[in-house]
Amino acid sequence: MTSTRTALTYCRICEPLCGLVAAVEGEPGNERLVSLRPDDEHPLSRGYACPKGLAFADVQNDPERVLQPLRRVAGGAPGEFEQVTWDEALGDIAARLRETIDTYGGTSVGQFFGNPVGFNVTAALWSGALMTALGTGHQYSVGSQDINSRYVASKLLYDSISQVPFPDLRSTDFLLVVGANPLVSRGSGVRAPRVKEHLSAITARGGRVVVLDPRRSETARAFEHVSVEPDSDAFLLASVVQVLAEEDLVAWDAVAAQSVGVETLLDAVKHFPPEATAARTGVDPATVRVLARDLAAAPRAAVYGRTGSCLGRHATLTSVLIDALALLTGNLDREGGVLLGQAVVPFEEVAEKAGRLTYDAQRSRVGDFPDVMGTWPAAIMAEEIRTPGPGQLRALFVLAGNPVLTSPDGPHLADALEELDLLVSLDLYVNETNRHADYVLPATTWLEREDVPFAIVASSPWPHVQHTTAVLAPAGEARPEWEVIDEVARRAGITLLLPAWLGTLTAPLRYAARRVGLRTTPWTLVDLLLRTGPHGDRFGLRRGGLSLRALRSLPRGRMLPPPRGGRLAEVVRHPHGKVDLAPAQLAAEWDRLRSRLEETRDPAYPLRMIGLREMRSQNSWMHNSPTLMKGRNRRHTARIHPDDAAVAGVVDGAPVRIRSAVGAIETLAHLTDEVRPGTIAVPHGWGHAAGWSTANAAGGANSNELASSRVEDVEHLAGMALLNGIPVAVEPV
Ligand SMILES: Nc1nc2c(c(=O)[nH]1)N[C@H]1C(S)=C(S)[C@@H](COP(=O)(O)OP(=O)(O)OC[C@H]3O[C@@H](n4cnc5c(=O)[nH]c(N)nc54)[C@H](O)[C@@H]3O)O[C@H]1N2
Ligand SMILES: Nc1nc2c(c(=O)[nH]1)N[C@H]1C(S)=C(S)[C@@H](COP(=O)(O)OP(=O)(O)OC[C@H]3O[C@@H](n4cnc5c(=O)[nH]c(N)nc54)[C@H](O)[C@@H]3O)O[C@H]1N2
Ligand code: SF4
Ligand SMILES: [Mo]
């Protein structure tokens, strides 16, 4: 008879971090996950978990998971691997890394880290430590396809780059959603597992939720929808600000108390009255005026944007305008409005204080892009590999990422990856990116590792922190990423530098921290930051405060004090202590926006493609789950308005070819008026051809083959890829 036990943990696929109960069977040393179910008693998710979280059991037990180190067969094609021992793999990787460093310097080595690293504190810390030790600027991440514009906006406005202001869902009366679909994505940049309930509560108490989106998304359908042209939010929000000024709806007291530069901002928006932007935004000027008035009149209003506001040509300006609207209506840093986050394991804040979270401290060779927290845009990675000269990227680690499917112009990147001297990936699968690697090393899943959440916890109306131990022993020969990085560094003779953070602690804390001793593992760092952080035990100076030990004894974690307004002075790092509404970097950006007012569509590419997230996908990596892929509707499709389909001769359910200036893909047409005319919506992360047979069999195409990695198409302030609003044409196949 096999025994079954249950363990409490939390999901690390997306930001709600829902509480889960894992059922495990078998004898110690030979256990297997039977199922995952929602944790009814979890303080935040209270019995909620989405289909992806529950279907993670399929990933955990997937027979196609990589469970041994794989080495590319000598002279083999992409994807041709043989199993090797850890010792062989680590020995060869370390030797080749050493050789690359000795010949070309540490600046020839780099990394790309994917979305799952955001849920993996030890991997995030140790991969960063390795790059710091190498002194390289070649760091790339999903940030430039996701959220870096938000960070740069925070840098410009607050001089606090890691700050992610969030809507106070507890008590707001008016939530303006700019390009987010929380009913499907379950919320990003704001942690609220039961987000549907919280949005419904706003309308139930007489408030409103208004969604700006080119598609009548699940969230737009459930609340109020304002349909907007793709990649036009900067125009629209500039018009809203213009109306606030023109109609004297600005909360001047708040503006005076909180900001500098308002005249410059209001000067800039003079060129964008709703009548001037209507042709770009597709929104009737009367609607914009009413929106501005309602936002200003609401007792407490919040403005919230996510990926739909970040993946366009003016992403940073859009993110700036989102906060500016909150500020101008008196809703920034105020309960029921937009709140400023406070980390629990404040490694970003501490690094920022130590001057380590940089913006524009280093420029890229290709395209002259500023770094955003040490990373350059993923769009230029291929050309950084291909462009000869000092600093050429020659050895790359890919940590939990699949940029060939998730970043612009994957085929171009895939070709470039083949030119690297060394490509090493740590992943759960052979994916479309690491099939080009020299080594694919098996990583542990989140059920197989100890964890504590970091950045995400800060941006929540209900801050809560939970630690989890590993629920299962690593399957096969899988190892936690940080241990692999540590070992590669050791064998290559690289000393992992401990950040200069210690120096930022006050003297008594520094003393206490030293006394506790710092054997350098990520966990000593996490503990140090936790204990010296806002809720920490300060090494015994604060009773009841947090430490790793304290957290380990709380299986469902702990609720933290509710967030409050009035924190601006703590957050803003500008010498004048106020929000800068007119940062110098934006002057040229306003000119660029203005120059695009009259831009018209190229008749060769009359449509605009945007992305789409579905409940049963997670970017590119859960398409091998039989549970998630079940059902006739699990096919990749392009949503096209019937009018556009009629013009192009495209038929519902039939294959359609989508062309852009960069590439062409084929998928199935799904005619629906949920997209506005002129817009098509296609999910990213499909078109599989790697080590996952269910995913491969699912068909579909990689929508990012249509996206451009050309320097002139990348947003210049944060390096955002243009993934929403790509000019395309459709035709029947
Ligand atoms: N067109 C378009 N493109 C987009 C977007 C869009 O909206 N539109 N969204 C962008 C966004 S927001 C994101 S975040 C990116 C995602 O971009 P990526 O992070 O590059 O892609 P994922 O599909 O999340 O791939 C994650 C990889 O990590 C592996 N993995 C999962 N868990 C672990 C783990 O615990 N350890 C290790 N080592 N590996 C693990 C998976 O097997 C998978 O191969 O895509 C971006 N691309
Ligand atoms: N089921 C599921 N959940 C996920 C993920 C997933 O892949 N699947 N991914 C996770 C990740 S990595 C992230 S970052 C979050 C993202 O979280 P969200 O940003 O909430 O997710 P999306 O569904 O991409 O929502 C973006 C919305 O913006 C709209 N949009 C597109 N272009 C524009 C535009 O130009 N302007 C405006 N105003 N709107 C636009 C889209 O139609 C879409 O409805 O979701 C997370 N949750
Ligand atoms: S919403 Fe789903 S995938 Fe995201 S954390 Fe919760 S259970 Fe996991
Ligand atoms: Mo993301």
Side-chain angles (χ1 to χ4, degrees), residues 147-165 316 319-320 323 352-353 355-361 370-373 571-576 578-581 583-586 717-718:
I147 195 170
N148 282 356
S149 57
R150 170 64 263 177
Y151 291 136
V152 174
S154 290
K155 175 72 188 177
L156 302 181
L157 290 165
Y158 314 114
D159 194 22
S160 179
I161 196 168
S162 62
Q163 182 57 235
V164 180
T316 302
S319 298
V320 164
D323 286 11
E352 185 147 8
K353 280 194 192 128
R356 302 293 289 267
L357 274 196
T358 51
Y359 173 61
D360 203 3
D371 77 285
V372 179
M373 297 201 248
V571 168
V572 170
R573 296 171 64 246
H574 290 303
H576 48 63
K578 294 188 176 182
V579 181
D580 187 357
L581 290 173
Q585 290 91 334
L586 283 188
L717 290 168

Side-chain angles (χ1 to χ4, degrees), residues 346-356 501-502 504-505 529 532:
F347 80 74
E348 291 180 313
E349 286 169 19
V350 172
E352 185 147 8
K353 280 194 192 128
R356 302 293 289 267
W501 300 340
L502 257 187
T504 66
L505 300 176
L529 290 172
T532 55

Side-chain angles (χ1 to χ4, degrees), residues 170-190:
R170 293 171 301 180
S171 57
T172 195
D173 303 298
F174 191 112
L175 177 66
L176 179 62
V177 178
V178 187
N181 187 15
L183 261 44
V184 170
S185 70
R186 308 311 299 177
S188 176
V190 56

Side-chain angles (χ1 to χ4, degrees), residues 316-402:
T316 302
L317 181 55
T318 303
S319 298
V320 164
L321 286 168
I322 284 172
D323 286 11
L325 272 179
L327 194 154
L328 292 171
T329 56
N331 286 299
L332 183 70
D333 190 29
R334 170 188 187 207
E335 281 155 53
V338 171
L339 291 173
L340 301 164
Q342 189 176 33
V344 180
V345 185
F347 80 74
E348 291 180 313
E349 286 169 19
V350 172
E352 185 147 8
K353 280 194 192 128
R356 302 293 289 267
L357 274 196
T358 51
Y359 173 61
D360 203 3
Q362 286 196 80
R363 292 255 164 176
S364 60
R365 295 185 311 151
V366 173
D368 194 34
F369 289 99
D371 77 285
V372 179
M373 297 201 248
T375 68
W376 284 321
I380 65 166
M381 201 159 55
E383 285 310 307
E384 287 284 354
I385 294 169
R386 286 194 151 153
T387 308
Q392 181 176 8
L393 178 55
R394 294 169 184 273
L396 181 69
F397 290 84
V398 176
L399 194 62
N402 195 5

Side-chain angles (χ1 to χ4, degrees), residues 610-692:
I610 60 170
L612 173 71
R613 279 182 163 75
E614 294 167 305
M615 192 49 123
R616 292 195 284 155
S617 288
Q618 173 67 12
N619 296 316
S620 77
W621 68 276
M622 291 195 79
H623 292 141
N624 212 45
S625 155
T627 313
L628 293 177
M629 297 306 280
K630 228 173 8 219
R632 241 181 316 146
N633 294 332
R634 284 307 281 151
R635 303 180 75 183
H636 188 250
T637 64
R639 290 171 208 227
I640 307 175
H641 193 276
D643 295 352
D644 296 323
V647 171
V650 168
V651 180
D652 191 37
V656 57
R657 183 176 302 115
I658 311 171
R659 285 187 292 106
S660 75
V662 176
I665 61 168
E666 289 178 15
T667 184
L668 298 173
H670 170 24
L671 305 199
T672 167
D673 70 0
E674 74 184 35
V675 287
R676 54 182 291 128
T679 298
I680 75 169
V682 187
H684 69 283
W686 289 71
H688 295 283
W692 29 29

